[in-house]
PDB file of all heavy atoms in Angstrom:
ATOM      1  N   SER K1443     105.307 107.271 134.499  1.00 69.00           N
ATOM      2  CA  SER K1443     104.210 107.293 135.463  1.00 69.00           C
ATOM      3  C   SER K1443     102.983 107.894 134.800  1.00 69.00           C
ATOM      4  O   SER K1443     103.038 108.993 134.242  1.00 69.00           O
ATOM      5  CB  SER K1443     104.604 108.115 136.698  1.00 69.00           C
ATOM      6  OG  SER K1443     103.508 108.241 137.574  1.00 69.00           O
ATOM      7  N   LEU K1444     101.874 107.180 134.851  1.00 68.00           N
ATOM      8  CA  LEU K1444     100.626 107.649 134.263  1.00 68.00           C
ATOM      9  C   LEU K1444      99.652 108.143 135.323  1.00 68.00           C
ATOM     10  O   LEU K1444      98.456 108.304 135.059  1.00 68.00           O
ATOM     11  CB  LEU K1444      99.979 106.511 133.456  1.00 68.00           C
ATOM     12  CG  LEU K1444     100.831 105.939 132.313  1.00 68.00           C
ATOM     13  CD1 LEU K1444     100.096 104.792 131.626  1.00 68.00           C
ATOM     14  CD2 LEU K1444     101.195 107.016 131.303  1.00 68.00           C
ATOM     15  N   ASP K1445     100.154 108.373 136.537  1.00 71.00           N
ATOM     16  CA  ASP K1445      99.288 108.790 137.630  1.00 71.00           C
ATOM     17  C   ASP K1445      99.112 110.299 137.714  1.00 71.00           C
ATOM     18  O   ASP K1445      98.415 110.792 138.592  1.00 71.00           O
ATOM     19  CB  ASP K1445      99.854 108.281 138.968  1.00 71.00           C
ATOM     20  CG  ASP K1445      99.923 106.754 139.003  1.00 71.00           C
ATOM     21  OD1 ASP K1445      99.111 106.121 138.304  1.00 71.00           O
ATOM     22  OD2 ASP K1445     100.792 106.228 139.714  1.00 71.00           O
ATOM     23  N   VAL K1446      99.777 111.045 136.835  1.00 69.00           N
ATOM     24  CA  VAL K1446      99.677 112.505 136.877  1.00 69.00           C
ATOM     25  C   VAL K1446      98.428 112.947 136.141  1.00 69.00           C
ATOM     26  O   VAL K1446      97.872 112.238 135.295  1.00 69.00           O
ATOM     27  CB  VAL K1446     100.929 113.146 136.249  1.00 69.00           C
ATOM     28  CG1 VAL K1446     102.155 112.818 137.054  1.00 69.00           C
ATOM     29  CG2 VAL K1446     101.090 112.697 134.809  1.00 69.00           C
ATOM     30  N   GLY K1447      97.958 114.164 136.463  1.00 71.00           N
ATOM     31  CA  GLY K1447      96.772 114.693 135.824  1.00 71.00           C
ATOM     32  C   GLY K1447      97.024 115.069 134.371  1.00 71.00           C
ATOM     33  O   GLY K1447      98.048 115.667 134.042  1.00 71.00           O
ATOM     34  N   MET K1448      96.111 114.708 133.509  1.00 74.00           N
ATOM     35  CA  MET K1448      96.223 115.007 132.083  1.00 74.00           C
ATOM     36  C   MET K1448      95.173 116.046 131.689  1.00 74.00           C
ATOM     37  O   MET K1448      94.120 116.153 132.315  1.00 74.00           O
ATOM     38  CB  MET K1448      96.024 113.727 131.256  1.00 74.00           C
ATOM     39  CG  MET K1448      97.001 112.619 131.591  1.00 74.00           C
ATOM     40  SD  MET K1448      98.676 112.991 131.008  1.00 74.00           S
ATOM     41  CE  MET K1448      99.529 111.484 131.507  1.00 74.00           C
ATOM     42  N   LEU K1449      95.482 116.785 130.624  1.00 75.00           N
ATOM     43  CA  LEU K1449      94.514 117.729 130.080  1.00 75.00           C
ATOM     44  C   LEU K1449      93.372 116.962 129.418  1.00 75.00           C
ATOM     45  O   LEU K1449      93.602 115.941 128.765  1.00 75.00           O
ATOM     46  CB  LEU K1449      95.166 118.659 129.069  1.00 75.00           C
ATOM     47  CG  LEU K1449      96.137 119.699 129.621  1.00 75.00           C
ATOM     48  CD1 LEU K1449      96.757 120.482 128.458  1.00 75.00           C
ATOM     49  CD2 LEU K1449      95.439 120.649 130.565  1.00 75.00           C
ATOM     50  N   PRO K1450      92.146 117.419 129.569  1.00 78.00           N
ATOM     51  CA  PRO K1450      91.028 116.720 128.918  1.00 78.00           C
ATOM     52  C   PRO K1450      91.098 116.867 127.405  1.00 78.00           C
ATOM     53  O   PRO K1450      91.521 117.894 126.874  1.00 78.00           O
ATOM     54  CB  PRO K1450      89.796 117.425 129.500  1.00 78.00           C
ATOM     55  CG  PRO K1450      90.290 118.786 129.898  1.00 78.00           C
ATOM     56  CD  PRO K1450      91.702 118.591 130.346  1.00 78.00           C
ATOM     57  N   MET K1451      90.676 115.855 126.686  1.00 80.00           N
ATOM     58  CA  MET K1451      90.664 115.862 125.233  1.00 80.00           C
ATOM     59  C   MET K1451      89.263 116.237 124.742  1.00 80.00           C
ATOM     60  O   MET K1451      88.260 115.765 125.273  1.00 80.00           O
ATOM     61  CB  MET K1451      91.046 114.489 124.682  1.00 80.00           C
ATOM     62  CG  MET K1451      92.472 114.083 124.980  1.00 80.00           C
ATOM     63  SD  MET K1451      93.684 115.127 124.146  1.00 80.00           S
ATOM     64  CE  MET K1451      93.341 114.706 122.434  1.00 80.00           C
ATOM     65  N   ASP K1452      89.201 117.113 123.760  1.00 83.00           N
ATOM     66  CA  ASP K1452      87.937 117.468 123.145  1.00 83.00           C
ATOM     67  C   ASP K1452      88.039 117.284 121.647  1.00 83.00           C
ATOM     68  O   ASP K1452      89.091 116.932 121.104  1.00 83.00           O
ATOM     69  CB  ASP K1452      87.547 118.909 123.499  1.00 83.00           C
ATOM     70  CG  ASP K1452      88.669 119.898 123.218  1.00 83.00           C
ATOM     71  OD1 ASP K1452      89.352 119.738 122.189  1.00 83.00           O
ATOM     72  OD2 ASP K1452      88.864 120.816 124.038  1.00 83.00           O
ATOM     73  N   GLY K1453      86.954 117.555 120.961  1.00 84.00           N
ATOM     74  CA  GLY K1453      86.921 117.341 119.526  1.00 84.00           C
ATOM     75  C   GLY K1453      87.903 118.201 118.757  1.00 84.00           C
ATOM     76  O   GLY K1453      88.546 117.736 117.810  1.00 84.00           O
ATOM     77  N   VAL K1454      88.039 119.466 119.171  1.00 84.00           N
ATOM     78  CA  VAL K1454      88.952 120.376 118.481  1.00 84.00           C
ATOM     79  C   VAL K1454      90.402 119.916 118.649  1.00 84.00           C
ATOM     80  O   VAL K1454      91.187 119.909 117.693  1.00 84.00           O
ATOM     81  CB  VAL K1454      88.768 121.818 119.003  1.00 84.00           C
ATOM     82  CG1 VAL K1454      89.790 122.750 118.354  1.00 84.00           C
ATOM     83  CG2 VAL K1454      87.363 122.300 118.733  1.00 84.00           C
ATOM     84  N   ALA K1455      90.756 119.511 119.880  1.00 84.00           N
ATOM     85  CA  ALA K1455      92.129 119.055 120.125  1.00 84.00           C
ATOM     86  C   ALA K1455      92.435 117.796 119.329  1.00 84.00           C
ATOM     87  O   ALA K1455      93.517 117.653 118.745  1.00 84.00           O
ATOM     88  CB  ALA K1455      92.334 118.810 121.610  1.00 84.00           C
ATOM     89  N   ILE K1456      91.471 116.873 119.285  1.00 88.00           N
ATOM     90  CA  ILE K1456      91.685 115.630 118.531  1.00 88.00           C
ATOM     91  C   ILE K1456      91.812 115.930 117.047  1.00 88.00           C
ATOM     92  O   ILE K1456      92.692 115.380 116.350  1.00 88.00           O
ATOM     93  CB  ILE K1456      90.526 114.656 118.799  1.00 88.00           C
ATOM     94  CG1 ILE K1456      90.531 114.222 120.279  1.00 88.00           C
ATOM     95  CG2 ILE K1456      90.630 113.442 117.892  1.00 88.00           C
ATOM     96  CD1 ILE K1456      89.366 113.346 120.659  1.00 88.00           C
ATOM     97  N   LEU K1457      90.977 116.840 116.525  1.00 90.00           N
ATOM     98  CA  LEU K1457      91.039 117.187 115.113  1.00 90.00           C
ATOM     99  C   LEU K1457      92.370 117.851 114.755  1.00 90.00           C
ATOM    100  O   LEU K1457      93.008 117.504 113.747  1.00 90.00           O
ATOM    101  CB  LEU K1457      89.880 118.114 114.762  1.00 90.00           C
ATOM    102  CG  LEU K1457      89.849 118.632 113.313  1.00 90.00           C
ATOM    103  CD1 LEU K1457      89.703 117.468 112.341  1.00 90.00           C
ATOM    104  CD2 LEU K1457      88.712 119.634 113.129  1.00 90.00           C
ATOM    105  N   CYS K1458      92.816 118.800 115.584  1.00 88.00           N
ATOM    106  CA  CYS K1458      94.084 119.479 115.313  1.00 88.00           C
ATOM    107  C   CYS K1458      95.259 118.513 115.378  1.00 88.00           C
ATOM    108  O   CYS K1458      96.187 118.586 114.556  1.00 88.00           O
ATOM    109  CB  CYS K1458      94.275 120.626 116.303  1.00 88.00           C
ATOM    110  SG  CYS K1458      93.148 122.018 116.053  1.00 88.00           S
ATOM    111  N   THR K1459      95.235 117.604 116.354  1.00 88.00           N
ATOM    112  CA  THR K1459      96.308 116.619 116.466  1.00 88.00           C
ATOM    113  C   THR K1459      96.334 115.695 115.258  1.00 88.00           C
ATOM    114  O   THR K1459      97.406 115.377 114.713  1.00 88.00           O
ATOM    115  CB  THR K1459      96.143 115.798 117.754  1.00 88.00           C
ATOM    116  OG1 THR K1459      96.083 116.673 118.882  1.00 88.00           O
ATOM    117  CG2 THR K1459      97.298 114.837 117.932  1.00 88.00           C
ATOM    118  N   ALA K1460      95.143 115.265 114.814  1.00 91.00           N
ATOM    119  CA  ALA K1460      95.074 114.399 113.639  1.00 91.00           C
ATOM    120  C   ALA K1460      95.582 115.131 112.396  1.00 91.00           C
ATOM    121  O   ALA K1460      96.304 114.553 111.562  1.00 91.00           O
ATOM    122  CB  ALA K1460      93.634 113.924 113.423  1.00 91.00           C
ATOM    123  N   MET K1461      95.227 116.408 112.258  1.00 92.00           N
ATOM    124  CA  MET K1461      95.713 117.189 111.119  1.00 92.00           C
ATOM    125  C   MET K1461      97.223 117.370 111.183  1.00 92.00           C
ATOM    126  O   MET K1461      97.918 117.328 110.155  1.00 92.00           O
ATOM    127  CB  MET K1461      95.019 118.552 111.083  1.00 92.00           C
ATOM    128  CG  MET K1461      93.540 118.497 110.756  1.00 92.00           C
ATOM    129  SD  MET K1461      92.775 120.142 110.763  1.00 92.00           S
ATOM    130  CE  MET K1461      93.657 120.929 109.419  1.00 92.00           C
ATOM    131  N   LEU K1462      97.755 117.558 112.390  1.00 90.00           N
ATOM    132  CA  LEU K1462      99.204 117.702 112.552  1.00 90.00           C
ATOM    133  C   LEU K1462      99.923 116.436 112.120  1.00 90.00           C
ATOM    134  O   LEU K1462     100.914 116.483 111.365  1.00 90.00           O
ATOM    135  CB  LEU K1462      99.521 118.036 114.008  1.00 90.00           C
ATOM    136  CG  LEU K1462     101.001 118.113 114.413  1.00 90.00           C
ATOM    137  CD1 LEU K1462     101.697 119.224 113.647  1.00 90.00           C
ATOM    138  CD2 LEU K1462     101.141 118.330 115.907  1.00 90.00           C
ATOM    139  N   VAL K1463      99.427 115.289 112.589  1.00 91.00           N
ATOM    140  CA  VAL K1463     100.063 114.016 112.228  1.00 91.00           C
ATOM    141  C   VAL K1463      99.934 113.750 110.735  1.00 91.00           C
ATOM    142  O   VAL K1463     100.894 113.339 110.064  1.00 91.00           O
ATOM    143  CB  VAL K1463      99.437 112.873 113.054  1.00 91.00           C
ATOM    144  CG1 VAL K1463      99.981 111.520 112.595  1.00 91.00           C
ATOM    145  CG2 VAL K1463      99.708 113.070 114.539  1.00 91.00           C
ATOM    146  N   ALA K1464      98.741 114.000 110.188  1.00 92.00           N
ATOM    147  CA  ALA K1464      98.528 113.742 108.761  1.00 92.00           C
ATOM    148  C   ALA K1464      99.393 114.652 107.895  1.00 92.00           C
ATOM    149  O   ALA K1464      99.973 114.212 106.896  1.00 92.00           O
ATOM    150  CB  ALA K1464      97.051 113.941 108.424  1.00 92.00           C
ATOM    151  N   ALA K1465      99.489 115.934 108.273  1.00 92.00           N
ATOM    152  CA  ALA K1465     100.302 116.862 107.490  1.00 92.00           C
ATOM    153  C   ALA K1465     101.780 116.491 107.549  1.00 92.00           C
ATOM    154  O   ALA K1465     102.496 116.566 106.539  1.00 92.00           O
ATOM    155  CB  ALA K1465     100.085 118.288 107.989  1.00 92.00           C
ATOM    156  N   ALA K1466     102.250 116.095 108.741  1.00 89.00           N
ATOM    157  CA  ALA K1466     103.649 115.670 108.859  1.00 89.00           C
ATOM    158  C   ALA K1466     103.903 114.421 108.022  1.00 89.00           C
ATOM    159  O   ALA K1466     104.948 114.287 107.360  1.00 89.00           O
ATOM    160  CB  ALA K1466     103.983 115.411 110.326  1.00 89.00           C
ATOM    161  N   PHE K1467     102.946 113.506 108.030  1.00 88.00           N
ATOM    162  CA  PHE K1467     103.083 112.275 107.235  1.00 88.00           C
ATOM    163  C   PHE K1467     103.096 112.598 105.742  1.00 88.00           C
ATOM    164  O   PHE K1467     103.924 112.066 104.987  1.00 88.00           O
ATOM    165  CB  PHE K1467     101.927 111.326 107.576  1.00 88.00           C
ATOM    166  CG  PHE K1467     102.025 109.987 106.907  1.00 88.00           C
ATOM    167  CD1 PHE K1467     102.919 109.031 107.355  1.00 88.00           C
ATOM    168  CD2 PHE K1467     101.227 109.692 105.815  1.00 88.00           C
ATOM    169  CE1 PHE K1467     103.021 107.799 106.733  1.00 88.00           C
ATOM    170  CE2 PHE K1467     101.316 108.460 105.190  1.00 88.00           C
ATOM    171  CZ  PHE K1467     102.218 107.516 105.651  1.00 88.00           C
ATOM    172  N   LEU K1468     102.207 113.490 105.299  1.00 90.00           N
ATOM    173  CA  LEU K1468     102.160 113.853 103.888  1.00 90.00           C
ATOM    174  C   LEU K1468     103.433 114.586 103.468  1.00 90.00           C
ATOM    175  O   LEU K1468     103.923 114.406 102.345  1.00 90.00           O
ATOM    176  CB  LEU K1468     100.939 114.732 103.617  1.00 90.00           C
ATOM    177  CG  LEU K1468      99.582 114.012 103.601  1.00 90.00           C
ATOM    178  CD1 LEU K1468      98.460 115.031 103.428  1.00 90.00           C
ATOM    179  CD2 LEU K1468      99.530 112.973 102.496  1.00 90.00           C
ATOM    180  N   THR K1469     103.966 115.428 104.364  1.00 87.00           N
ATOM    181  CA  THR K1469     105.212 116.132 104.041  1.00 87.00           C
ATOM    182  C   THR K1469     106.340 115.148 103.769  1.00 87.00           C
ATOM    183  O   THR K1469     107.162 115.351 102.868  1.00 87.00           O
ATOM    184  CB  THR K1469     105.601 117.075 105.188  1.00 87.00           C
ATOM    185  OG1 THR K1469     104.531 117.996 105.436  1.00 87.00           O
ATOM    186  CG2 THR K1469     106.853 117.860 104.845  1.00 87.00           C
ATOM    187  N   THR K1470     106.357 114.068 104.546  1.00 84.00           N
ATOM    188  CA  THR K1470     107.400 113.062 104.363  1.00 84.00           C
ATOM    189  C   THR K1470     107.175 112.225 103.106  1.00 84.00           C
ATOM    190  O   THR K1470     108.104 111.981 102.323  1.00 84.00           O
ATOM    191  CB  THR K1470     107.451 112.142 105.593  1.00 84.00           C
ATOM    192  OG1 THR K1470     107.619 112.931 106.768  1.00 84.00           O
ATOM    193  CG2 THR K1470     108.597 111.161 105.486  1.00 84.00           C
ATOM    194  N   ILE K1471     105.938 111.801 102.903  1.00 85.00           N
ATOM    195  CA  ILE K1471     105.639 110.924 101.769  1.00 85.00           C
ATOM    196  C   ILE K1471     105.752 111.671 100.442  1.00 85.00           C
ATOM    197  O   ILE K1471     106.265 111.137  99.446  1.00 85.00           O
ATOM    198  CB  ILE K1471     104.231 110.316 101.927  1.00 85.00           C
ATOM    199  CG1 ILE K1471     104.171 109.448 103.196  1.00 85.00           C
ATOM    200  CG2 ILE K1471     103.862 109.500 100.696  1.00 85.00           C
ATOM    201  CD1 ILE K1471     105.132 108.293 103.201  1.00 85.00           C
ATOM    202  N   LEU K1472     105.289 112.926 100.420  1.00 83.00           N
ATOM    203  CA  LEU K1472     105.250 113.698  99.174  1.00 83.00           C
ATOM    204  C   LEU K1472     106.405 114.679  99.066  1.00 83.00           C
ATOM    205  O   LEU K1472     106.267 115.738  98.451  1.00 83.00           O
ATOM    206  CB  LEU K1472     103.919 114.453  99.088  1.00 83.00           C
ATOM    207  CG  LEU K1472     102.650 113.604  99.174  1.00 83.00           C
ATOM    208  CD1 LEU K1472     101.421 114.483  99.152  1.00 83.00           C
ATOM    209  CD2 LEU K1472     102.599 112.589  98.026  1.00 83.00           C
ATOM    210  N   HIS K1473     107.545 114.353  99.655  1.00 78.00           N
ATOM    211  CA  HIS K1473     108.645 115.320  99.669  1.00 78.00           C
ATOM    212  C   HIS K1473     109.214 115.575  98.281  1.00 78.00           C
ATOM    213  O   HIS K1473     109.849 116.604  98.049  1.00 78.00           O
ATOM    214  CB  HIS K1473     109.759 114.822 100.606  1.00 78.00           C
ATOM    215  CG  HIS K1473     110.467 113.604 100.109  1.00 78.00           C
ATOM    216  ND1 HIS K1473     109.955 112.335 100.301  1.00 78.00           N
ATOM    217  CD2 HIS K1473     111.627 113.449  99.416  1.00 78.00           C
ATOM    218  CE1 HIS K1473     110.782 111.452  99.762  1.00 78.00           C
ATOM    219  NE2 HIS K1473     111.794 112.093  99.213  1.00 78.00           N
ATOM    220  N   ARG K1474     108.994 114.673  97.324  1.00 78.00           N
ATOM    221  CA  ARG K1474     109.496 114.907  95.971  1.00 78.00           C
ATOM    222  C   ARG K1474     108.612 115.886  95.195  1.00 78.00           C
ATOM    223  O   ARG K1474     109.047 116.445  94.205  1.00 78.00           O
ATOM    224  CB  ARG K1474     109.624 113.587  95.221  1.00 78.00           C
ATOM    225  CG  ARG K1474     110.832 112.754  95.664  1.00 78.00           C
ATOM    226  CD  ARG K1474     111.073 111.595  94.736  1.00 78.00           C
ATOM    227  NE  ARG K1474     109.993 110.635  94.809  1.00 78.00           N
ATOM    228  CZ  ARG K1474     109.936 109.635  95.686  1.00 78.00           C
ATOM    229  NH1 ARG K1474     110.916 109.485  96.566  1.00 78.00           N
ATOM    230  NH2 ARG K1474     108.940 108.801  95.698  1.00 78.00           N
ATOM    231  N   HIS K1475     107.365 116.055  95.622  1.00 78.00           N
ATOM    232  CA  HIS K1475     106.483 117.065  95.038  1.00 78.00           C
ATOM    233  C   HIS K1475     106.647 118.337  95.860  1.00 78.00           C
ATOM    234  O   HIS K1475     106.010 118.509  96.908  1.00 78.00           O
ATOM    235  CB  HIS K1475     105.035 116.585  95.049  1.00 78.00           C
ATOM    236  CG  HIS K1475     104.828 115.296  94.321  1.00 78.00           C
ATOM    237  ND1 HIS K1475     104.485 115.238  92.989  1.00 78.00           N
ATOM    238  CD2 HIS K1475     104.950 114.006  94.732  1.00 78.00           C
ATOM    239  CE1 HIS K1475     104.378 113.969  92.610  1.00 78.00           C
ATOM    240  NE2 HIS K1475     104.659 113.200  93.647  1.00 78.00           N
ATOM    241  N   ARG K1476     107.493 119.225  95.431  1.00 78.00           N
ATOM    242  CA  ARG K1476     107.953 120.325  96.273  1.00 78.00           C
ATOM    243  C   ARG K1476     106.827 121.213  96.761  1.00 78.00           C
ATOM    244  O   ARG K1476     106.722 121.507  97.952  1.00 78.00           O
ATOM    245  CB  ARG K1476     109.008 121.148  95.522  1.00 78.00           C
ATOM    246  CG  ARG K1476     110.247 120.347  95.144  1.00 78.00           C
ATOM    247  CD  ARG K1476     111.333 121.267  94.653  1.00 78.00           C
ATOM    248  NE  ARG K1476     112.500 120.530  94.173  1.00 78.00           N
ATOM    249  CZ  ARG K1476     113.450 120.028  94.943  1.00 78.00           C
ATOM    250  NH1 ARG K1476     113.365 120.181  96.244  1.00 78.00           N
ATOM    251  NH2 ARG K1476     114.480 119.388  94.422  1.00 78.00           N
ATOM    252  N   MET K1477     105.963 121.680  95.850  1.00 80.00           N
ATOM    253  CA  MET K1477     104.915 122.600  96.262  1.00 80.00           C
ATOM    254  C   MET K1477     103.922 121.929  97.208  1.00 80.00           C
ATOM    255  O   MET K1477     103.474 122.528  98.197  1.00 80.00           O
ATOM    256  CB  MET K1477     104.202 123.146  95.024  1.00 80.00           C
ATOM    257  CG  MET K1477     103.241 124.297  95.326  1.00 80.00           C
ATOM    258  SD  MET K1477     104.055 125.690  96.145  1.00 80.00           S
ATOM    259  CE  MET K1477     105.198 126.187  94.861  1.00 80.00           C
ATOM    260  N   THR K1478     103.571 120.677  96.918  1.00 83.00           N
ATOM    261  CA  THR K1478     102.644 119.959  97.801  1.00 83.00           C
ATOM    262  C   THR K1478     103.246 119.757  99.184  1.00 83.00           C
ATOM    263  O   THR K1478     102.564 119.919 100.205  1.00 83.00           O
ATOM    264  CB  THR K1478     102.280 118.593  97.180  1.00 83.00           C
ATOM    265  OG1 THR K1478     101.777 118.795  95.864  1.00 83.00           O
ATOM    266  CG2 THR K1478     101.231 117.890  98.017  1.00 83.00           C
ATOM    267  N   SER K1479     104.532 119.415  99.242  1.00 85.00           N
ATOM    268  CA  SER K1479     105.168 119.210 100.546  1.00 85.00           C
ATOM    269  C   SER K1479     105.284 120.518 101.318  1.00 85.00           C
ATOM    270  O   SER K1479     105.147 120.528 102.549  1.00 85.00           O
ATOM    271  CB  SER K1479     106.555 118.584 100.349  1.00 85.00           C
ATOM    272  OG  SER K1479     107.391 119.444  99.594  1.00 85.00           O
ATOM    273  N   ILE K1480     105.496 121.645 100.621  1.00 87.00           N
ATOM    274  CA  ILE K1480     105.551 122.938 101.312  1.00 87.00           C
ATOM    275  C   ILE K1480     104.203 123.273 101.926  1.00 87.00           C
ATOM    276  O   ILE K1480     104.099 123.748 103.064  1.00 87.00           O
ATOM    277  CB  ILE K1480     106.016 124.042 100.343  1.00 87.00           C
ATOM    278  CG1 ILE K1480     107.485 123.862  99.994  1.00 87.00           C
ATOM    279  CG2 ILE K1480     105.796 125.424 100.943  1.00 87.00           C
ATOM    280  CD1 ILE K1480     107.993 124.868  98.995  1.00 87.00           C
TER     281      ILE K1480
END
């Protein structure tokens, strides 16, 4: 159901979410480079 109230999105929230997704993606892709993945 999409009829419930959602929290408003702002620039900071979008930036943090994008960084979270990108960091998780890089951790997976670069897992053989130990220090970079850490």
